[in-house]
Amino acid sequence: FQGIFVLGLPYALLHSGYSGLFLIILAAALCCYTGKILISCLYEENEDGQPIRVRDTYEDIANACCKKLSPKLGGIVVNVTQVMELIMTCILYLVVSGNLLSHSFPYVPVTEKTWSVIAFVTLLPCVFIKTLKIVSKLSQLCSLIHFIIILVVMTYCLTQIHQWSWAKFSLSIEFEDFLVSVGVIIFSYTSQIFLPTLEGNMKNPGEFRCMLNWTHFFACVLKTTFALTAFLTWGEETKEVITDNLPSFLQTLVNLCLLSKALLSYPLPFFAATEIVYACISRGNHSNYRSPLFALSVRGSFLLLTLLMAMFIPHFALLMGLTGSVTGAAMTFLLPSLFHLKLKWKKLSFLEKCTDISVFILGFLCSLAGIVCSVKGLLEVFA
């Protein structure tokens, strides 16, 4: 969750003022909390009161909650939601790659879509990814590049410290702009889709809660410092992607770093989505669906699908916002709190129940507001 969204945080502060700083901290606490309660839904206590992992995936949790209504309904809803969000994330990385290449080499007579195809070619080896270990190594390299980008931006900002002024913070905010800021801040922390797989692959799952606390804490500190430093530097001139504010001699370097980051970020949502699809298709005793060749075909088809959608979906940014408002809020706030209440109701204290209900209501309001803003934007574009 130190992704490309981080580069939009200074712009979010422009439209949310001092409340944006509070939201960055609040979002970290809420997302950390929903991550913990989601993982707790994977466990049940045995006769000795010891927690035993009886479920493996987000789908298993959903099926356990909906088993009285329909044994597989919950799993279907969760899987569709997960795959939608993951595929849109993969498409976004391809679109961003094409855009960055186009801006980095403006004198090359190649269209942005062609650059996306070139970026796609470099991602073809993703069809051979079979384990999370490979993905984690790529993500590690992605994190290194991300910190280089942050370091470049913050170093430049510190050279401009003489012009910083707290007066740049606005006390009055536009409601619609504020809602956009809320979406950017909250969804910069989302990671719930990956947590069951991550916790299941840890050498010591008992350290999961501690890991979640520290990662969210450091993410919050970094996001707050970065957003505040950049906003104090450019103030009202802060652009949607903060790297666009940099001088031209730094922009090309940062754009190439962003390109590398986008390409290295692709394998994680790609791996997660293909694992979900492959597991759904090969479930049961159908041996033909369990062959390595079939798994390779699933990954190859998914890879090609992301390219085609990246090239042909119109008004992608608005559609991404609409999808994110529905799937992002559902996977991060609505479903974890709902599942936790359903599975652990008898064991929860009054305060825990109130917290879960509050998180559910907040997630619903964020989702509704995001949908309204995105649909309004789409209607304006098509009009």
Side-chain angles (χ1 to χ4, degrees), residues 102-223:
S102 177
H103 284 82
S104 298
F105 306 103
Y107 304 109
V108 179
V110 174
T111 65
E112 196 169 304
K113 288 184 178 180
T114 305
W115 280 123
S116 293
V117 174
I118 294 172
F120 167 80
V121 172
T122 66
L123 294 170
L124 289 176
C126 287
V127 299
F128 301 107
I129 294 177
K130 297 179 181 179
T131 66
L132 198 62
K133 279 189 176 181
I134 298 173
V135 177
S136 69
K137 293 183 186 301
L138 294 173
S139 295
Q140 215 168 18
L141 185 57
C142 177
S143 297
L144 176 62
I145 293 171
H146 179 82
F147 281 113
I148 291 173
I149 296 169
I150 297 296
L151 184 63
V152 169
V153 175
M154 290 191 66
T155 301
Y156 177 81
C157 290
L158 290 173
T159 64
Q160 307 297 312
I161 196 170
H162 59 277
Q163 64 180 25
W164 287 9
S165 171
W166 287 96
K168 293 178 180 179
F169 273 95
S170 175
L171 294 176
S172 60
I173 54 176
E174 293 291 333
F175 185 66
E176 272 192 37
D177 291 335
F178 177 74
L179 289 179
V180 173
S181 299
V182 171
V184 171
I185 291 169
I186 289 177
F187 296 125
S188 71
Y189 284 103
T190 55
S191 61
Q192 274 67 9
I193 285 179
F194 310 108
L195 294 185
T197 304
L198 177 62
E199 194 261 359
N201 280 274
M202 289 178 71
K203 286 184 178 180
N204 185 3
E207 296 179 347
F208 178 82
R209 294 175 70 90
C210 180
M211 178 276 293
L212 214 59
N213 287 336
W214 281 109
T215 49
H216 279 78
F217 171 75
F218 283 120
C220 179
V221 170
L222 183 61
K223 289 176 194 289

Side-chain angles (χ1 to χ4, degrees), residues 252-264:
T252 302
L253 170 65
V254 172
N255 280 346
L256 291 175
C257 287
L258 283 171
L259 171 66
S260 302
K261 177 175 172 54
L263 294 176
L264 289 168

